[in-house]
């Protein structure tokens, strides 16, 4: 079986620099629960990871499609499927892999902190999150995206504290599933549902056009709303303006290309629809906290 740690089509991944992790450990708020690595691997063919030397992080893997397996220490091999998650406890060797016939799609987070063990407790066996009328799976996935894009937007103290706060909520939505589901979806009003659909549709439109230049007017026309009304709805739902969010998606894609290909930086700039490589470098540095060249070197050292 071919084995790959990473490098999957459509993958997203952020590995926080050691300096930032030390900053998290020292912060009185963030130190309770913080992220060291976060990512999303869609249809991860041949995904395999084995850590014979224990790591200090807990590892959450949330399977949304496909199947896979994992083993903690010398324990029994556990199978995992769609709508299940597990947490590999810190300090114990482990290994895990996607299945060959039906490779998994996973969200994953490496996390530490004084409160980490409370969320990891009892999750060494597969935990099910079965879809239901009140399951709120999309709400949970939006939390993940909020965490991811907050970190992608830079490692300021405020961003780290906000991400830590969201991580508490994200893990609690799994650990305390009944309480999380107590607010039923059908009580949301029609206007709110419609707004979510508009944002989801526009984000899909952005992802389909990452290699192009699209204007705010084009985004608004796609949804059938005026530019001003569309911008208001989008920012209300995501916390970002449409064009800023589009730039975040472009830089996210650029990170994938920098870590998984040998494309030159100016080639990647064109690949994400930015024909001015100097502007691309400035935008990348602003959002990621390091230049494209430094990001590639950092990822090569991991």
């Amino acid at each position: 079986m071919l084995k790959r740690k990473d490098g999957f089509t459509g993958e997203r991944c952020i590995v926080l620099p050691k300096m930032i992790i030390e900053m998290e450990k020292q912060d009185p708020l963030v130190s309770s629960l913080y992220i060291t690595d976060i990512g999303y691997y869609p249809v991860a063919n041949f995904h395999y990871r084995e850590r014979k030397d224990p790591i200090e992080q807990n590892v959450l893997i949330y399977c949304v499609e496909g199947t896979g397996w994992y083993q903690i220490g010398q324990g029994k091999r556990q199978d995992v499927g769609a709508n299940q998650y597990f947490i590999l406890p810190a300090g114990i060797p482990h290994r895990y892999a996607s299945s060959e016939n039906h490779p998994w799609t996973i969200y994953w987070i490496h996390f530490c902190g004084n409160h980490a063990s409370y969320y990891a407790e009892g999750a060494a066996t597969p935990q099910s999150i079965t879809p239901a009328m009140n399951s709120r799976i999309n709400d949970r996935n939006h939390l993940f995206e909020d965490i991811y894009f907050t970190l992608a937007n830079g490692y300021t103290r405020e961003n780290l504290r906000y991400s830590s706060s969201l991580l508490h909520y994200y893990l609690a939505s799994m650990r305390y599933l009944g309480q999380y589901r107590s607010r039923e979806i059908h009580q949301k009003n029609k206007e709110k549902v419609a707004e979510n659909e508009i944002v989801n549709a526009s984000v899909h439109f952005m992802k389909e056009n990452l290699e192009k230049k699209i204007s705010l007017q084009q985004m608004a026309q796609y949804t059938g709303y005026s530019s001003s009304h569309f911008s208001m709805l989008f920012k209300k739902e995501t916390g970002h303006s449409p064009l800023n969010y589009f730039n975040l998606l472009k830089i996210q894609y650029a990170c994938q290309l920098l870590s998984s290909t040998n494309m030159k930086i100016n080639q990647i700039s064109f690949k994400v629809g930015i024909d001015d490589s100097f502007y691309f470098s400035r935008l990348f540095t602003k959002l990621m906290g390091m230049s494209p060249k430094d990001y590639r070197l950092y990822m090569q050292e991991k």
Side-chain angles (χ1 to χ4, degrees):
M1 173 184 174
L2 178 64
K3 298 178 180 179
R4 295 163 58 186
K5 293 181 180 179
D6 48 26
F8 310 102
T9 302
E11 74 167 33
R12 291 180 288 156
C13 174
I14 295 174
V15 178
L16 275 66
K18 291 181 179 179
M19 178 184 71
I20 301 302
I21 294 173
E22 288 301 317
M23 183 176 170
E24 291 180 309
K25 290 180 180 179
Q26 299 302 319
D27 188 275
L29 292 179
V30 181
S31 60
S32 67
L33 191 70
Y34 58 90
I35 292 168
T36 65
D37 310 68
I38 184 172
Y40 169 77
Y41 289 167
V43 194
N45 287 295
F46 310 115
H47 183 209
Y48 178 87
R49 193 68 184 253
E50 181 173 11
R51 297 184 175 96
K52 296 181 179 179
D53 296 324
I55 58 175
E56 64 180 12
Q57 303 100 330
N58 299 274
V59 181
L60 165 73
I61 295 182
Y62 173 27
C63 179
V64 295
E65 266 193 299
T67 59
W69 61 267
Y70 66 97
Q71 183 179 19
I72 300 173
Q74 299 300 313
K76 177 184 176 182
R77 174 171 148 165
Q78 303 271 4
D79 293 322
V80 63
N83 301 308
Q84 288 188 312
Y85 76 92
F86 59 93
I87 297 178
L88 303 167
I92 303 176
H94 60 248
R95 60 188 183 125
Y96 52 85
S98 178
S99 69
E100 295 185 54
N101 297 325
H102 196 190
W104 62 17
T105 293
I106 57 173
Y107 292 92
W108 55 268
I109 299 176
H110 291 211
F111 64 96
C112 299
N114 301 329
H115 295 163
S117 61
Y118 292 98
Y119 293 107
E121 183 181 3
T125 56
Q127 306 293 304
S128 294
I129 306 178
T130 307
M133 286 295 294
N134 62 343
S135 54
R136 300 178 62 197
I137 289 174
N138 283 337
D139 289 350
R140 181 183 294 106
N141 291 342
H142 289 160
L143 276 174
F144 181 94
E145 297 300 337
D146 204 356
I147 294 169
Y148 187 93
F149 284 117
T150 297
L151 292 174
N153 205 30
Y155 304 132
T156 64
R157 187 177 303 278
E158 289 75 15
N159 282 1
L160 295 176
R161 288 181 171 180
Y162 182 59
S163 298
S164 174
S165 299
L166 289 178
L167 182 59
H168 276 281
Y169 188 23
Y170 183 77
L171 294 176
S173 77
M174 299 177 171
R175 181 75 174 83
Y176 308 107
L177 188 61
Q179 289 82 352
Y180 177 71
R181 289 182 168 185
S182 63
R183 190 192 69 172
E184 297 182 5
I185 289 178
H186 68 259
Q187 292 180 341
K188 295 181 179 179
N189 59 53
K190 294 181 180 179
E191 181 182 355
K192 180 65 176 178
V193 173
E195 290 174 2
N196 285 336
E197 291 174 350
I198 291 164
V199 171
N200 290 339
S202 59
V203 170
H204 174 75
F205 179 69
M206 293 177 192
K207 290 180 177 179
E208 290 291 286
N209 291 279
L210 282 177
E211 299 182 16
K212 302 176 184 177
K213 294 180 180 178
I214 57 174
S215 66
L216 175 62
Q217 184 178 9
Q218 288 174 299
M219 295 179 192
Q221 286 176 345
Y222 181 77
T223 64
Y225 281 78
S226 68
S227 296
S228 59
H229 189 56
F230 167 68
S231 293
M232 179 192 69
L233 292 179
F234 193 96
K235 189 165 187 178
K236 178 182 175 183
E237 290 296 307
T238 68
H240 300 276
S241 71
L243 291 179
N244 283 346
Y245 196 95
F246 191 41
N247 280 336
L248 285 171
L249 291 176
K250 286 177 178 286
I251 296 304
Q252 169 193 306
Y253 185 32
C255 287
Q256 297 171 17
L257 296 175
L258 285 165
S259 62
S260 62
T261 75
N262 293 321
M263 293 175 63
K264 296 179 180 178
I265 291 173
N266 65 337
Q267 293 174 324
I268 293 175
S269 176
F270 279 92
K271 185 70 173 174
V272 299
I274 301 175
D275 54 18
D276 183 343
S277 59
F278 293 102
Y279 172 74
F280 166 74
S281 293
R282 291 197 301 271
L283 179 64
F284 189 101
T285 302
K286 177 182 177 181
L287 295 179
M288 294 301 298
M290 63 181 77
S291 69
K293 180 180 178 181
D294 289 341
Y295 182 88
R296 171 169 275 166
L297 289 173
Y298 178 77
M299 293 303 294
Q300 289 173 349
E301 293 173 357
K302 295 299 292 182

